[in-house]
Amino acid sequence: MLTAAEARDLLDRRLGGTRLVRHCLFVGDLMAALAKRLGAPAELWRATGYCHDLDYFAVDGDWSRHGLITAGALAGRLPEDALEAIAAHDHRTGCTAATPLADGLKLADALAVAEEALGRSVFVTRLLQYVPGDTLVAGRPWLDTIIGQTTARLGLELIEITTMLPNSEEPERDRR
């Protein structure tokens, strides 16, 4: 299995020097925190989060392939549920996966996108004050749907998630 450290190295090689590295580190580190809370394997969840956007530039604007390319490239290096989560993390692929790992990835990715759009302090304030039906990020209503549905399926509250958010300035390098 691909370790989180190996996934981090792969991330640096494929996306180094781009804003996506910070995004993937945020997602992977939040995934590890979610895994610990849910009693799931944190190393696997972190590696899955680190790798989820490796094909971001390879899709060349064809978002129906986003996640599928990465899942194919990592076949045999990650378990099937991790590959399914990566393939299904973007709704535009048409792939679905309803495992806790897939829900965790969708949730962490949506939260990372919202945090990037709003900045940490506004993001946390909005999460703490969020009421279903509110709009977290203007112009991105799908984030509210993803966040609402996945937190419910995972049995989590947004206030709890705010305590799990990775450091926005320096996501963790790796926790072996």
Side-chain angles (χ1 to χ4, degrees):
M1 183 184 94
L2 186 70
T3 67
E6 291 167 336
R8 172 61 196 258
D9 290 341
L10 190 57
L11 176 61
D12 287 338
R13 284 196 311 272
R14 297 264 179 94
L15 301 176
T18 70
R19 67 170 181 77
L20 286 173
V21 172
R22 181 189 176 282
H23 169 84
C24 290
L25 292 174
F26 181 101
V27 171
D29 292 342
L30 180 53
M31 291 274 296
L34 290 169
K36 288 177 185 172
R37 162 61 175 78
L38 298 169
E43 176 88 359
L44 171 61
W45 283 45
R46 186 186 306 272
T48 303
Y50 283 175
C51 291
H52 82 283
D53 275 348
L54 288 177
D55 62 10
Y56 189 89
F57 297 111
V59 301
D60 195 29
D62 181 1
W63 299 109
S64 68
R65 300 181 319 142
H66 179 46
L68 299 174
I69 295 171
T70 297
L74 295 177
R77 298 186 71 192
L78 285 173
E80 193 60 34
D81 61 337
L83 299 174
E84 289 173 0
I86 291 169
H89 87 275
D90 188 320
H91 69 279
R92 296 170 288 190
T93 64
C95 295
T96 59
T99 64
L101 178 56
D103 282 342
L105 180 56
K106 290 174 203 166
L107 176 60
D109 190 41
L111 291 169
V113 169
E115 193 257 359
E116 290 161 12
L118 298 171
R120 177 57 64 101
S121 62
V122 172
F123 170 66
V124 170
T125 299
R126 287 201 181 163
L127 282 182
L128 292 172
Q129 297 172 349
Y130 187 80
V131 175
D134 283 355
T135 299
L136 190 60
V137 179
R140 298 180 181 177
W142 63 89
L143 293 175
D144 301 312
T145 301
I146 293 167
I147 292 167
Q149 290 176 353
T150 56
T151 53
R153 281 196 300 264
L154 293 171
L156 300 169
E157 298 290 331
L158 289 177
I159 193 166
E160 179 181 14
I161 291 170
T162 63
T163 67
M164 297 179 196
L165 296 173
N167 181 324
S168 64
E169 300 305 316
E170 289 185 32
E172 298 199 21
R173 173 73 178 146
D174 68 276
R175 291 184 189 164
R176 293 184 218 196

